[in-house]
Every structure is written in C-alpha cells, then in structure tokens.
Amino acid sequence: MKANVIVFEAAIFIFFLFFYHGSSRAMGKSRNRVFFAGALLYSLAIQTVAVLGGVMNFYWYQQNTYYKHYPLGGYIIWLGLVPLAAGLLFYLVAAMTQMLSTVMMPKASAWARSALAGAIAVGFYLLIEPIAITNHWWTWNLKSFYIIDIPLVALFGVFAAVFLFNAVYTLTVLDAKDQKNLKKFEDRTVKKLLKTNHHPANLNWRQLQWLFFYRLLMSLVVFAAFMTPVIVIFWAVANRGQIPPNW
Amino acid sequence: MANKRIELEQYKHYVNLLEEEPNRKTARRGFLTCAIVMVILVVGLIVMGFMSTNLARNPSHVTSKPQPATSTPTGTQVPSGTQLPSGTQLPSGTQLPSGTQLPSGTQLPSGTQTPMAPTDKMMSDAGPAGLIDAQPGDLVAQAQSSTPTPINISAPSTSPGSVTSPGKPAAKPLPTTTSGAGNLSNLANGAGARGLDIYVLVLGIALMIVIYLGVRRVRLEGKTK
C-alpha cells in the first residue's frame, strides 16, 4: 500500500469533518465559519499564485497518464489550480495553532501568540513536507535552497502565512481593534463601503466579517512584500535549479 | 416603542454573542475534539512516513517524472536497446535484454532478469533468440541479411528543459536534483536506512507533546473553575 494522493485526500476530508465540528464548539459557530472561509481563501490565493509563478505544482495529478496510475485517479476536488485538500490542510493547521497559542499564552500580545502559532505550523509542515514530496502530493519547482528536498522558502512562507492570518483574525475578530497605521486608510476604503465609522468593537457581526476579509486582503500584500526578498535571497544561494512546471 | 426596539437589539446582540462565544465547558470539549483529531492526523502522517521510506531512499525519486503504470506491466519484455528514463520503476518479472541502459535511480524489484554490463556499441542479438521459434526458411533469410546492424546507444546530452545556444558558452545550469543535506534520500538512507522513520517519529512526538501541553492547560482551567 502506498501513501498516494487518494489516501491523503480521503484522510484530510475525514479529519476535516471531525475537526470542524470540534472547532465550532471551541471557537463559536460564527467565528469558526469565518475562520474557515478566510483560511481557505487565504491559502487558495497564495497557492494559486505559487502554481502560476512556477514555485510549486500539483500538476502530476492533472496529467492523464499519471492520473490513470492510481485506482481512483488523482485529486478529486479542485479549486482552480489547487486541490481542496491542500486548502483544508492549511485550515486544520492554522486553526489548531490558533487555539494552541491562545491556550498556551492567554495573556500574551496578539503578535506573540501569532508568532507561536506560526512556529507550531512550521513544525507541522516539517512533518508533512517530506511525505508530501516523496509521494508527489505536490512538487516544488523553484530554483532555491533545499534541505531534505524542501525549499526553505516554503517554511518561511508557512510561518508568514500562519502568523499574518492569525494576527489578522485575533486583532479583528477576537480583540476587535483599530490599527493606528491602517485607520486612515480603512476609514477611506472599507468603512465607506460598509457605511459606518464605528470602532471595530462596535461593528455588527456582518460588518466585522467584511472588515476581516478586507484586512486579510491587505495582509496578502504584506505577505508578498515579505516573501519577495526571501525568494530572491534563496534564489541567489540556490542548490537546486528550476524544474520547468510541465517538463 | 423606542425602548422595545433597543431591547430587541440587545436581545439580538445576546443571541449573536452566544453563537460567537460559547460557554467555557463547550469550548473546552471542542478544543479536546480538535486536539484528538490532530493527534490522529500526526499519527497517520507518521505511518505514511514509514510507508514512504522505500521511495525516499531513491535519490532522484522526488524530482523524477513518474512513468505511467501501463507502460511496463508485469511480465513485460523490454525491447533490446531501450533506454529507461531515470527513476523508472520496473514491475517484478520484467525481462531486460542486453543493451538496456539503466540509469542511476532505477528500481529493480526481485525477479527482474538483468543482463551483463551493457556496452556502448552492441550487435543486434536477434539471432540466438530467433532460433528457438525458427520456421523452415527463416535461417536462410537471416543468413542473407547476415550483416549485423550496430545499434548506438548513448546517453542524452541535455537535461530536460535545458536550452543550448550554439554561439554563446552557456553558464553551467544548476542541477535539478539536490545533493548532500539537500537531498531527502541522504536522510532516508542514514542511520541504518531508518533516518526518515526516526525523523518523522521524533517530529511527530514533539508535535503531540505540544498538543498535550495545550490539552493539559485546558484541563487545569476546567478543574479550577
């Protein structure tokens, strides 16, 4: 028996069902719903850009010949270029690390908690990555610096993504606060659209959700700004060349 | 009327709060469910890691393009002079004639019949094999075209995806496979070929300890209240 993609996908779907039930109770139904939607969209955006940019791909499972290699084919459910299972995996890891960091450091600042969440997420991905690349659940194509065939860029990316996502969630949904450096910008953009000028703590739930998604979008810009020099640095000291995505 | 509206608004807010922030006991149980699910996921990943060790030992497996399973089914005879791409997995019972080049990283299962060391130039060996099922007249026809045809077998000069320009001396491209600590097979083959198992086990246990620390905090919170 191989740990092929069907095993991975089926396991993730089953674990997701139980986990979602548990996290709905732990976080609250509405909060968990918005966390799930945010995590799925966030990971989808990052991984789609990564696939389009030739950083990684799931393409072997799109190839007809390889698709026939497995009894049930490759990934079953796709969201564009990214399989749903990859997004669900990000949700599982982000939600678990969010809860763990809140439980372990209840009185720490949102930034410290998010940093802890990011560090634990890196631990999870250090476990997942060697198995994923060996079984071709996904492939890294980037010219970069690799350790045990995992690009260090990926680990920095996981840390940054989980850190930013958890920071936005904590500062918007859990402890709704105005961000000093973003206040003017938000007053002109998202709050105009929502037709309100209230402090985030006084927004109703629907408005708070929109503010959360808006801030997630902004955090994607921050993520891109952080990752660009990281990619460039590891490109310069690369120990493995680029693999053309469709070779 | 205005008071009634305010009251309704407050009631609505209260319902939202209940949905957004459940009571601590429910939250604790939910957290425990999530923790158990993640521990099972980690255990599942450890098992999948053990299952992947054989594949991970092959240095070129991670970056090699897999071949469709239908190309070499069990018992297939590979034609003489065939070049097998790097990382090809051959099913058991495959017969390899002389002249077949096996690149590094090719996995040969038990039962595969391999020839002696291949030479760069070889003669067509249809003769001896043809004698077994020879029909009358076959040998005469074979003798008439008796000049054996040399078959050149050479390794491909360019790696997949590389572009060579005739005018410029091309800069040496980075290899598409890693070496040293960058390669997973070094880990997998290390520690008596148990390196990956140990890595996955240690990391999995560390993650389970982190989850346990969270569970312990939640339980303590439950006991104190």
Side-chain angles (χ1 to χ4, degrees):
Chain A
M1 190 182 170
K2 282 183 182 177
N4 68 28
V5 75
I6 294 300
V7 176
F8 167 64
E9 196 174 35
I12 290 294
F13 286 165
I14 293 165
F15 286 130
F16 165 74
L17 290 177
F18 287 102
F19 189 91
Y20 190 87
H21 173 71
S23 59
S24 286
R25 300 175 84 181
M27 291 184 185
K29 279 181 188 170
S30 314
R31 284 177 180 175
N32 184 50
R33 212 179 299 138
V34 80
F35 191 98
F36 168 64
L40 200 62
L41 292 174
Y42 202 72
S43 67
L44 187 66
I46 291 171
Q47 292 187 82
T48 303
V49 170
V51 171
L52 288 174
V55 173
M56 68 186 298
N57 71 61
F58 304 88
Y59 100 100
W60 275 343
Y61 302 104
Q62 295 169 328
Q63 302 293 307
N64 193 38
T65 48
Y66 198 60
Y67 192 83
K68 286 175 184 168
H69 198 77
Y70 290 115
L72 290 172
Y75 287 110
I76 298 164
I77 304 171
W78 289 78
L79 300 172
L81 297 168
V82 180
L84 176 64
L88 294 183
L89 181 66
F90 181 82
Y91 162 71
L92 293 178
V93 171
M96 190 69 234
T97 55
Q98 201 280 328
M99 284 187 259
L100 277 174
S101 61
T102 310
V103 165
M104 291 167 89
M105 295 165 67
K107 288 175 184 170
S109 70
W111 300 107
R113 272 189 273 164
S114 305
L116 177 66
I120 299 171
V122 169
F124 271 104
Y125 270 84
L126 272 172
L127 176 65
I128 295 163
E129 283 286 349
I131 304 162
I133 56 169
T134 304
N135 294 291
H136 297 145
W137 296 347
W138 56 78
T139 313
W140 292 102
N141 295 31
L142 183 70
K143 177 188 171 187
S144 186
F145 188 81
Y146 287 75
I147 288 181
I148 55 168
D149 278 320
I150 306 167
L152 287 187
V153 170
L155 300 178
F156 276 85
V158 165
F159 177 82
V162 174
F163 172 76
L164 286 170
F165 184 83
N166 276 314
V168 169
Y169 177 75
T170 309
L171 293 171
T172 311
V173 179
L174 294 184
D175 319 318
K177 279 178 188 168
D178 260 333
Q179 294 304 304
K180 280 178 193 170
N181 37 3
L182 281 176
K183 191 177 182 316
K184 277 187 183 175
F185 188 64
E186 283 181 351
D187 284 347
R188 282 183 205 159
T189 51
V190 67
K191 286 190 180 171
K192 267 195 177 178
L193 284 172
L194 296 173
K195 294 174 185 170
T196 180
N197 206 16
H198 289 315
H199 185 274
N202 298 325
L203 295 177
N204 66 34
W205 178 242
R206 198 183 63 82
Q207 289 170 331
L208 203 63
Q209 281 179 46
W210 282 113
L211 183 65
F212 173 63
F213 286 118
Y214 177 80
R215 284 182 176 176
L216 273 187
L217 196 65
M218 292 297 108
S219 75
L220 278 175
V221 178
V222 178
F223 179 80
F226 170 75
M227 286 308 292
T228 308
V230 171
I231 290 173
V232 169
I233 288 167
F234 285 118
W235 183 285
V237 294
N239 63 352
R240 198 186 97 180
Q242 167 88 10
I243 297 177
N246 291 311
W247 91 105
Chain B
M1 190 65 190
N3 283 345
K4 187 70 181 170
R5 185 176 290 166
I6 290 166
E7 201 177 308
L8 281 172
E9 281 293 319
Q10 281 174 341
Y11 178 70
K12 192 178 162 190
H13 184 64
Y14 178 70
V15 170
N16 273 349
L17 263 182
L18 266 185
E19 201 174 274
E20 283 164 29
E21 195 148 352
N23 68 56
R24 293 306 302 159
K25 195 176 176 185
T26 311
R28 277 197 296 273
R29 281 186 180 172
F31 177 80
L32 285 178
T33 310
C34 293
I36 290 166
V37 170
M38 288 310 275
V39 165
I40 297 170
L41 177 66
V42 168
V43 171
L45 284 168
I46 292 171
V47 173
M48 284 194 226
F50 290 167
M51 283 157 59
S52 311
T53 306
N54 283 339
L55 289 173
R57 281 185 198 139
N58 183 345
S60 60
H61 173 75
V62 171
T63 51
S64 64
K65 191 174 182 176
Q67 300 301 307
T70 49
S71 62
T72 51
T74 308
T76 304
Q77 289 193 3
V78 179
S80 172
T82 306
Q83 287 185 18
L84 295 175
S86 174
T88 306
Q89 290 181 23
L90 295 174
S92 58
T94 306
Q95 290 183 9
L96 293 177
S98 61
T100 306
Q101 286 196 351
L102 295 175
S104 62
T106 305
Q107 291 186 351
L108 291 176
S110 59
T112 306
Q113 295 176 16
T114 50
M116 297 303 286
T119 52
D120 192 33
K121 269 195 174 185
M122 65 161 202
M123 309 306 274
S124 172
D125 55 357
L131 280 173
I132 297 167
D133 300 322
Q135 300 294 319
D138 277 359
L139 287 173
V140 178
Q142 202 174 340
Q144 283 171 351
S145 60
S146 59
T147 319
T149 47
I151 299 170
N152 276 319
I153 301 173
S154 56
S157 57
T158 53
S159 61
S162 64
V163 180
T164 52
S165 55
K168 282 184 197 172
K172 195 183 173 186
L174 273 172
T176 51
T177 51
T178 47
S179 58
N183 200 305
L184 182 64
S185 68
N186 283 337
L187 175 71
N189 289 317
R194 289 263 164 221
L196 185 63
D197 295 352
I198 293 167
Y199 170 85
V200 165
L201 201 61
V202 169
L203 208 55
I205 289 170
L207 283 171
M208 284 193 273
I209 288 171
V210 170
I211 294 172
Y212 171 72
L213 288 176
V215 170
R216 208 178 67 162
R217 288 240 172 182
V218 167
R219 279 192 173 170
L220 281 175
E221 183 198 308
K223 278 180 186 171
T224 51
K225 290 179 181 175

